[in-house]
Amino acid sequence: MEVNPLNIFFVKSDSKGDRLLFRYPYTIEHKGQLSGFTDEMLSTLFAVKAELCNKKFELKVNDVRFVGHPTLLPYRANKDDTAAMILINIVFALQASASHSIVKCYYDLSKRLGKALRHEEERCSYLTEEMKIMLAAHDEVNERNDSEINGDNEEEEENLRHSVSSTTYSVDNGLEGGPMSAYHLILQRSSLARSMKSVFEELSSTGIVQVRVNKWVLLSFCLPHKAHQIHNRGLIIEPETIDKCLQKLRPYHGMLLLVNPNDLLASIPLDGSSALLRLIKLYSPLKSLQTLAIEADLTFKQVSQLTGHLVYWAKATVIYPLCEGNVYVVAPGANIHIHSPLVDEFAKEFPGLCLLQMLSEFSLPAPLWYISRSAGGGCGGSARLARCVAWLLQRRLLLQLHTYVQFNSPHWGRDADGKEYYCEKHDIYNRSCSVSFSSLNQMQLNVPEPVEPRDNTIFPDSDEDYPTENNLNQTDFSHTRPIIIDSDRKKHEKFHENDSANHSFDDGIDVVDGIKTNGCDYDNQIDKQKKHGNSVDSGISNNINGTAGNSIEANGNDASHAELSNGETLTSDDKSKGLPSRLSDLSLKDNDNAANNTSSDEDRFESDQDVSPRTKTNGLTNGSEKKNGVSLNLKLQSEMSFQPPTVWGGSASCDVTDACRAPAEPESTESLLHTFTAEERTVLSHIPASNNTDDLLLLAQLHKKGYFRGEQHLEEIMFMENVSRSQLMQLLDKFKDVLITFETEDPAVAMLYPYQ
Amino acid sequence: MQVQRRSKASTRRDFDGSLEPNLDLVSSKIMETRYYEGCGREGPIRCIFLGEFHPVAGPKISCQFPEDYISKEVFDSISAYIIPKPQIQKCTMTINALGHKIVGYPIRIDNPRYERNVYLFNICFVCDSWSKTVQYEPVVKKLGEHLTIMEEETGFVSSGSSKLPTLLAHLLHDLNTHRKATLVEGDTVMHLKVLEVRKDPPPVHDYDVPVLVASVGLPRPGRPRRPIPPEGTETQSQEHLDVEDDEPFEVDMAAEWDLTTRQILPYINSYNHVSKIAADTNVEKTLVKSCIQNLVYYGVITLIPVLKFNNMYRATPNLSRLFNEPELQKSCMTFIIKGSELKEKNESDPS
């Protein structure tokens, strides 16, 4: 593996020349890629010129990369000579393919080893002593080898002293009880060599180095790339990732320790930060960092830095605090092999539970409350479930999904030429599948909170309040319909069908001229819309005069519409023109109080009507008189305030602004609404929930602050805006026609997952 | 190489975690911090020099282009890695020191005609210390070996030929701008090309489904057809030939692909899995796999799981890109309506 070091070298260079004093491992079977290098070669390469000292040393030869920090330090070779300097270089050999961040960590380690040695040299001439031991051992072994070979061959002796073959030879002979490798001898005699050996071994095993140089200087080092593999094999986390994650860390995030808090407390050295100790004592995966900060009396910055520290040392990871509403799914790339050691570990930790069974609960995204209810009996209470989930999160077997919201502007899905794309097959598929799939989704995905009041027809009262507008809603919806993004959408569709079916029933009672057929035939509707979509759109869009528009439709439709003509002209006109009401009209009014069909306003009108003719088209081409009923109904409702068509804009705006201004702060309402484009306002005006100023205000506020760009999840919105989840869920439901939701992971948390 | 890289002048936005409002800020930040050590980007060759062991003066730069890019002081402190001890030779050595990253391939020629019976030289590429230099290693090696032959035949290097400076200048210019160079010197013709080193492709399994990311013979979905530069004009003038990882290759069908690739390309339809392709084309499975792996390496295709009706799909955070990028939306639309509508469009609008 490229994270592991290939070798560690210790080279000195002073007035007596350069020498490779120690290397580990030194046996031939560990050489591998380094087999081409003799000790002499290496020592000349690592004994750098003075100009390169105290800087990063990086040399790549073929497929091996050497990295080190040459340290120049004063050296008391003789008692009288005080000015002598010695260069020491502790070099790590790595695979050349090791990433830059790994190389950087090794460089850092080399630098710190150098510093520790310099300190010890100044304090008690530790280096001098150790080097003496090493040199003596080298000489001793050379002498012994010389005598064994009887010194008959000068050249060979020369070779043996420096080259690989000497090691080979020595080791081979060492086994026979003959001369030993100098390095072996050094390892027995020198504590520095033993320190280096343990550095190498700890790097190769855990990535966490805890070495006391000369039993005095504690050197703690962590190679995060390696350390995180203690808990998760194959998970490579670079320090850069942790930095990025820290930048994204918010107060609502939480921390999940990967080790037992008590063990962690015990492992912290005596001079450890008291803040860290407090933090760990108060730790709970249920607490957010903000809570931890308050409880531990720390600033958020401190807490997040401490968290980053713990993440770096592979003691913790970042999560969203565990709570019932959290939705989890099996993480991509999770080890779900039936023979994985995790299965046994899990069984040991949670007797009576099976890891795979537990994971299967999350094979579809599921909120915790759902699991605790469905599998609660087996799990043994929510506390155990929480522990269980924490365990799964520690091993990165689960991934949390968050809901993101995207404001769906009416532009979306339309090409530059105003053409709409949709997929009929998809549509049919939805219809056939929506029953099972959406009900499933509704159960599992989307209802962590109280059921939204207007989600279905269990609240007939509220429906009675808006009998017509619900239908409008539906009409409008069919416009945005082709943009099908996720299962959530499907869910809504289904409910709309229910809705409309229900209302059509209501209409049957209420509607004035009630020849009514089933109004929820989507395919039919869509088909019609498709046929008419372009022609009517283009024909009407800049035709403000309702009669003209209507005549086109009358031509296009069956004769029954002709009967409606005069009386209905006004109504349908009202409907299409009068309805872009509130929001769009606010802007109109803003622009020009006497907003009329004047040419100056034409542009704006056009954009407004981008949608409304469609609504009208839908209503009329529905192939049933139901829509006419609707429009009549609407007429009845809005007739009172209605003025002659020529001044519709002004009048409507009066009507609307009155309604909107009712609350105390008309200015802010208005200015907030300006965050929507004219078209968006038109669409919004068709949504019944827009009648509720508070809802609309909240929507506008959140939209203005950019929360509906699919970049911030609900929890973040809740935190930032201090709104409750139920408030948000209700808002989402009320404005579901313009708000698309999708569930995905929090990037800050997901960064620490292996699949990233 | 049949695969051509599209050059792209504008830097592409980095979408990792960038929020819409401060996109400009982010991208400008990226611009500033683009080149740092470990950024993993390729950089241009800043200088090429020939270092040799002079019988009297020792290691020295005998020729470099541009002049004095590597000062005498810098060279002296790193000369141990340019002209290393005689044991080390014929290996690519990269030393990163003093703000330069120097790739060399030390060569030693034993011949009694030299003053010391041996001639040591090394042709080195100098890059910025932040840049990635793996891609130059084969070039340096090939160049070194060719120069060895020329030296052995005519003493081209040791004689201090006056042609050398122009040769280096040509080399530097051609490698930086065209990423390839052809040197003709006497009878020796040298073709050098900088090949991009990418990550090793993942292993290909029987059940993987290859999907074309680049378009074969067609412009990328949602993108205009690439303007074909008239012959002879060189559009790539920038020095920084960055590898834009998110920019897929454009595959030229007319180019001469190897036979296996030609055979299996029509069967890569985002639906067939590897073993089906192998069965349909009657090609050995391992051959198909290695061919597909090769295509994955060059970013022509990517591997997805088999499309099944009981597959579950889930949104990724990148989904919000779809809302924010009209370009992507358009591309998505074009891709979805691929068949029928495109035809309609073409029929109604012949232009």
Side-chain angles (χ1 to χ4, degrees):
Chain A
M1 214 162 27
E2 58 185 33
V3 182
N4 294 348
L6 294 173
N7 219 320
I8 181 171
F9 303 98
F10 178 48
V11 171
K12 67 104 192 178
S13 167
D14 58 5
S15 51
K16 289 174 191 151
D18 51 71
R19 186 99 191 231
L20 180 68
L21 288 174
F22 184 68
R23 64 184 286 177
Y24 189 87
Y26 47 82
T27 48
I28 191 74
E29 59 264 31
H30 285 104
K31 288 243 161 104
Q33 287 165 296
L34 292 164
S35 51
F37 301 95
T38 63
D39 292 355
E40 192 195 20
M41 265 164 69
L42 291 171
S43 79
T44 50
L45 286 178
F46 300 156
V48 298
K49 294 255 169 72
E51 292 88 343
L52 303 182
C53 279
N54 300 325
K55 284 193 187 98
K56 183 176 174 180
F57 168 79
E58 191 185 348
L59 174 71
K60 189 183 145 198
V61 181
N62 290 337
D63 54 354
V64 184
R65 194 184 296 273
F66 300 101
V67 62
H69 181 84
T71 312
L72 205 57
L73 48 99
Y75 172 62
R76 277 167 284 176
N78 306 307
K79 288 282 183 285
D80 50 326
D81 184 10
T82 48
M85 298 290 272
I86 185 170
L87 174 105
I88 57 160
N89 197 357
I90 295 163
V91 179
F92 292 96
L94 307 170
Q95 309 255 12
S97 55
S99 77
H100 181 265
S101 98
I102 295 174
V103 175
K104 209 163 124 189
C105 285
Y106 276 101
Y107 164 67
D108 189 45
L109 178 57
S110 167
K111 191 171 168 182
R112 285 158 71 172
L113 277 170
K115 273 191 179 161
L117 285 180
R118 180 155 66 185
H119 177 268
E120 283 304 287
E121 173 64 18
E122 275 168 23
R123 193 174 69 90
C124 56
S125 305
Y126 175 63
L127 189 65
T128 317
E129 297 304 315
E130 291 298 313
M131 277 183 6
K132 264 184 201 160
I133 296 171
M134 291 179 185
L135 285 169
H138 277 290
D139 290 345
E140 194 180 314
V141 168
N142 285 338
E143 265 172 38
R144 217 190 287 179
N145 288 351
D146 286 354
S147 60
E148 284 219 350
I149 300 161
N150 298 324
D152 56 349
N153 195 334
E154 278 289 315
E155 219 175 271
E156 199 182 338
E157 184 219 325
E158 181 65 26
N159 260 344
L160 282 171
R161 195 197 291 161
H162 297 296
S163 66
V164 192
S165 54
S166 88
T167 326
T168 331
Y169 182 82
S170 318
V171 169
D172 289 345
N173 283 331
L175 294 173
E176 296 156 19
M180 288 193 187
S181 155
Y183 301 120
H184 188 72
L185 217 57
I186 290 171
L187 200 58
Q188 287 176 341
R189 296 179 185 172
S190 158
S191 68
L192 178 59
R194 280 195 295 277
S195 300
M196 286 187 197
K197 180 188 174 212
S198 63
V199 165
F200 181 86
E201 284 178 342
E202 286 174 8
L203 278 173
S204 315
S205 59
T206 60
I208 293 178
V209 176
Q210 302 268 358
V211 169
R212 259 186 206 283
V213 178
N214 195 20
K215 295 179 187 159
W216 187 259
V217 181
L218 175 66
L219 190 130
S220 307
F221 171 84
C222 172
L223 183 68
H225 312 79
K226 181 84 189 169
H228 279 268
Q229 300 194 11
I230 303 170
H231 307 288
N232 296 283
R233 279 179 69 86
L235 171 66
I236 291 185
I237 290 182
E238 304 200 328
E240 288 75 18
T241 317
I242 297 171
D243 288 345
K244 260 191 240 163
C245 176
L246 270 193
Q247 278 171 13
K248 290 193 174 180
L249 213 56
R250 296 309 185 91
Y252 57 78
H253 280 124
M255 183 172 76
L256 176 69
L257 287 185
L258 301 174
V259 292
N260 186 326
N262 293 325
D263 295 349
L264 181 57
L265 278 175
S267 72
I268 292 175
L270 288 176
D271 58 347
S273 146
S274 64
L276 185 63
L277 295 176
R278 251 182 297 157
L279 186 71
I280 296 168
K281 276 177 193 152
L282 290 165
Y283 154 81
S284 156
L286 308 176
K287 290 177 189 167
S288 68
L289 293 184
Q290 193 183 34
T291 318
L292 281 174
I294 293 167
E295 289 181 0
D297 197 21
L298 298 167
T299 62
F300 170 67
K301 203 171 165 81
Q302 276 175 303
V303 169
S304 72
Q305 273 168 355
L306 289 172
T307 309
H309 185 69
L310 288 172
V311 173
Y312 188 95
W313 283 79
K315 304 294 184 203
T317 188
V318 173
I319 55 164
Y320 182 81
L322 294 180
C323 70
E324 281 226 310
N326 285 1
V327 177
Y328 293 99
V329 72
V330 176
N335 182 1
I336 48 168
H337 199 270
I338 49 169
H339 295 305
S340 85
L342 290 173
V343 177
D344 290 337
E345 278 178 48
F346 186 82
K348 214 182 273 177
E349 188 79 23
F350 304 98
L353 285 181
C354 171
L355 174 67
L356 298 169
Q357 217 172 342
M358 194 69 206
L359 284 177
S360 74
E361 300 279 349
F362 293 101
S363 67
L364 290 178
L368 278 191
W369 65 260
Y370 180 79
I371 301 292
S372 71
R373 243 170 259 177
S374 68
C379 275
S382 59
R384 196 172 183 216
L385 179 69
R387 273 206 307 130
C388 197
V389 169
W391 192 93
L392 294 171
L393 284 173
Q394 283 171 344
R395 274 120 193 118
R396 312 287 204 280
L397 294 174
L398 289 187
L399 176 68
Q400 186 178 358
L401 298 186
H402 294 266
T403 303
Y404 289 77
V405 190
Q406 172 72 41
F407 187 84
N408 179 24
S409 85
H411 260 312
W412 208 86
R414 229 174 303 150
D415 206 4
D417 54 359
K419 202 170 169 185
E420 220 179 79
Y421 296 98
Y422 63 90
C423 177
E424 266 178 81
K425 274 183 193 162
H426 197 165
D427 185 51
I428 291 160
Y429 173 76
N430 285 339
R431 283 168 50 75
S432 59
C433 289
S434 59
V435 182
S436 60
F437 193 64
S438 66
S439 59
L440 179 97
N441 271 327
Q442 190 237 337
M443 260 170 41
Q444 297 201 339
L445 283 182
N446 219 15
V447 210
E449 287 310 299
V451 180
E452 303 89 330
R454 297 203 53 254
D455 212 355
N456 43 40
T457 53
I458 53 169
F459 295 98
D461 298 12
S462 58
D463 287 341
E464 271 173 11
D465 285 347
Y466 313 96
T468 53
E469 286 174 10
N470 264 322
N471 279 324
L472 279 179
N473 207 350
Q474 179 210 343
T475 321
D476 187 43
F477 181 62
S478 67
H479 150 63
T480 55
R481 188 154 191 290
I483 309 135
I484 290 151
I485 290 300
D486 59 358
S487 54
D488 217 20
R489 203 72 189 151
K490 291 169 202 157
K491 183 197 101 191
H492 289 318
E493 272 163 31
K494 184 178 165 260
F495 286 124
H496 271 285
E497 281 178 40
N498 285 345
D499 258 2
S500 54
N502 198 34
H503 296 313
S504 60
F505 178 69
D506 283 345
D507 290 344
I509 303 163
D510 292 346
V511 158
V512 185
D513 50 352
I515 321 155
K516 184 195 67 62
T517 60
N518 190 0
C520 62
D521 193 348
Y522 266 116
D523 283 344
N524 193 5
Q525 200 174 332
I526 294 284
D527 274 345
K528 289 275 170 67
Q529 194 194 349
K530 188 185 174 190
K531 278 177 200 157
H532 287 271
N534 287 330
S535 62
V536 174
D537 253 6
S538 51
I540 278 186
S541 58
N542 47 9
N543 196 343
I544 309 293
N545 193 326
T547 338
N550 225 8
S551 66
I552 290 173
E553 281 149 24
N555 290 340
N557 288 305
D558 41 23
S560 66
H561 280 288
E563 292 166 26
L564 300 171
S565 57
N566 278 333
E568 295 303 305
T569 311
L570 220 162
T571 350
S572 51
D573 212 12
D574 298 348
K575 183 179 159 253
S576 58
K577 306 284 153 50
L579 271 178
S581 55
R582 316 166 187 236
L583 308 161
S584 54
D585 286 332
L586 274 176
S587 75
L588 286 182
K589 187 170 164 283
D590 210 47
N591 234 5
D592 177 5
N593 259 327
N596 276 325
N597 295 347
T598 51
S599 54
S600 66
D601 275 334
E602 202 139 278
D603 287 350
R604 198 171 268 275
F605 282 162
E606 261 177 52
S607 64
D608 281 355
Q609 291 189 343
D610 233 79
V611 175
S612 50
R614 202 180 292 274
T615 321
K616 179 169 68 177
T617 316
N618 250 327
L620 287 172
T621 55
N622 209 2
S624 72
E625 271 79 336
K626 178 187 153 240
K627 287 297 157 192
N628 295 323
V630 172
S631 55
L632 267 184
N633 257 355
L634 184 106
K635 183 184 162 196
L636 290 178
Q637 273 206 341
S638 58
E639 193 87 83
M640 309 308 284
S641 63
F642 207 76
Q643 305 294 311
T646 40
V647 287
W648 62 268
S651 66
S653 73
C654 284
D655 183 48
V656 168
T657 42
D658 282 350
C660 271
R661 280 185 180 197
E665 28 181 341
E667 274 309 309
S668 74
T669 317
E670 229 170 276
S671 59
L672 275 176
L673 290 177
H674 282 295
T675 59
F676 298 107
T677 65
E679 285 172 29
E680 288 166 352
R681 266 172 271 165
T682 318
V683 176
L684 278 178
S685 69
H686 291 291
I687 297 173
S690 305
N691 286 341
N692 186 331
T693 329
D694 290 343
D695 288 345
L696 193 62
L697 217 60
L698 183 61
L699 181 84
Q701 247 172 13
L702 297 180
H703 183 260
K704 190 179 182 186
K705 292 184 180 170
Y707 289 117
F708 294 152
R709 292 206 190 95
E711 282 157 359
Q712 274 112 334
H713 47 74
L714 288 191
E715 284 77 12
E716 174 145 10
I717 302 174
M718 278 157 59
F719 176 82
M720 300 301 282
E721 295 303 310
N722 198 22
V723 291
S724 72
R725 187 188 288 264
S726 58
Q727 253 177 305
L728 272 182
M729 295 306 283
Q730 281 177 30
L731 189 77
L732 285 189
D733 187 60
K734 283 176 187 161
F735 291 96
K736 61 193 166 198
D737 294 347
V738 287
L739 297 178
I740 296 177
T741 62
F742 58 96
E743 279 90 26
T744 188
E745 63 261 31
D746 181 351
V749 173
M751 238 180 240
L752 303 176
Y753 274 80
Y755 71 94
Q756 285 280 321
Chain B
M1 185 64 43
Q2 298 94 334
V3 183
Q4 292 179 328
R5 172 157 289 278
R6 267 184 176 190
S7 72
K8 199 152 178 293
S10 63
T11 53
R12 284 178 64 88
R13 290 187 296 178
D14 205 345
F15 293 108
D16 295 344
S18 59
L19 295 174
E20 188 65 27
N22 46 19
L23 247 181
D24 290 339
L25 199 140
V26 169
S27 61
S28 68
K29 218 169 159 190
I30 286 166
M31 280 308 291
E32 281 165 22
T33 58
R34 253 182 111 174
Y35 304 111
Y36 56 92
E37 208 174 329
C39 61
R41 287 176 179 277
E42 292 179 11
I45 306 167
R46 294 291 182 197
C47 165
I48 299 178
F49 70 81
L50 176 76
E52 61 173 12
F53 191 86
H54 192 268
V56 182
K60 65 166 228 176
I61 297 179
S62 63
C63 175
Q64 75 168 308
F65 182 86
E67 289 285 322
D68 294 329
Y69 188 83
I70 296 291
S71 65
K72 178 112 180 50
E73 294 74 43
V74 171
F75 180 78
D76 282 346
S77 51
I78 55 168
S79 63
Y81 310 102
I82 308 297
I83 307 294
K85 288 273 152 72
Q87 296 98 317
I88 306 170
Q89 56 154 333
K90 300 227 168 184
C91 57
T92 47
M93 280 180 92
T94 310
I95 175 80
N96 192 352
L98 306 170
H100 302 293
K101 200 167 183 182
I102 301 172
V103 192
Y105 187 73
I107 287 162
R108 157 181 159 160
I109 299 171
D110 290 299
N111 196 317
R113 70 182 155 128
Y114 301 114
E115 230 170 282
R116 293 195 176 198
N117 292 332
V118 68
Y119 181 61
L120 297 163
F121 74 96
N122 189 357
I123 187 116
C124 297
F125 286 10
V126 184
C127 299
D128 296 305
S129 64
W130 50 258
S131 58
K132 203 172 88 175
T133 53
V134 210
Q135 72 277 10
Y136 296 127
E137 284 177 9
V139 182
V140 174
K141 186 176 172 191
K142 190 173 179 185
L143 190 63
E145 305 214 315
H146 269 275
L147 286 176
T148 314
I149 296 167
M150 286 160 77
E151 171 63 27
E152 278 167 349
E153 284 172 355
T154 64
F156 177 76
V157 188
S158 59
S159 63
S161 166
S162 57
K163 287 174 190 163
L164 210 54
T166 39
L167 188 133
L168 294 188
H170 267 289
L171 201 61
L172 182 78
H173 176 261
D174 287 358
L175 285 181
N176 273 343
T177 46
H178 312 303
R179 294 177 81 81
K180 58 185 174 190
T182 308
L183 302 178
V184 183
E185 180 54 48
D187 297 336
T188 326
V189 182
M190 222 187 303
H191 297 283
L192 298 170
K193 187 165 168 114
V194 183
L195 286 183
E196 184 198 342
V197 180
R198 298 170 162 233
K199 260 194 205 150
D200 284 350
V204 178
H205 302 286
D206 284 358
Y207 48 82
D208 283 327
V209 177
V211 176
L212 283 170
V213 180
S215 32
V216 179
L218 280 172
R220 257 178 96 198
R223 279 179 184 271
R225 189 173 277 274
R226 179 172 57 133
I228 297 154
E231 283 294 314
T233 58
E234 188 48 63
T235 47
Q236 296 179 334
S237 56
Q238 343 114 269
E239 266 215 318
H240 287 261
L241 288 142
D242 282 329
V243 181
E244 301 289 351
D245 279 331
D246 44 357
E247 182 75 10
F249 283 109
E250 195 165 307
V251 183
D252 190 0
M253 217 23 200
E256 291 195 1
W257 291 82
D258 67 276
L259 286 176
T260 319
T261 312
R262 274 184 179 216
Q263 218 168 339
I264 67 170
L265 260 182
Y267 288 86
I268 297 179
N269 61 356
S270 324
Y271 187 76
N272 289 344
H273 51 86
V274 170
S275 51
K276 185 166 165 45
I277 292 173
D280 287 359
T281 52
N282 207 10
V283 175
E284 182 65 34
K285 208 186 270 177
T286 48
L287 216 57
V288 173
K289 279 186 189 174
S290 56
C291 173
I292 282 174
Q293 201 171 22
N294 181 49
L295 291 173
V296 170
Y297 180 79
Y298 286 106
V300 179
I301 60 177
T302 185
L303 298 175
I304 59 165
V306 183
L307 198 70
K308 285 186 294 189
F309 284 110
N310 55 353
N311 278 3
M312 288 275 298
Y313 292 93
R314 181 172 77 72
T316 71
N318 282 336
L319 187 65
S320 61
R321 274 180 62 189
L322 190 61
F323 296 109
N324 299 329
E325 288 173 49
E327 197 52 25
L328 194 66
Q329 288 171 18
K330 225 182 268 171
S331 154
C332 169
M333 292 300 183
T334 331
F335 189 79
I336 291 170
I337 58 164
K338 215 172 176 180
S340 56
E341 296 239 0
L342 207 70
K343 243 182 251 164
E344 276 171 34
K345 228 179 205 172
N346 288 345
E347 278 163 15
S348 63
D349 184 19
S351 66

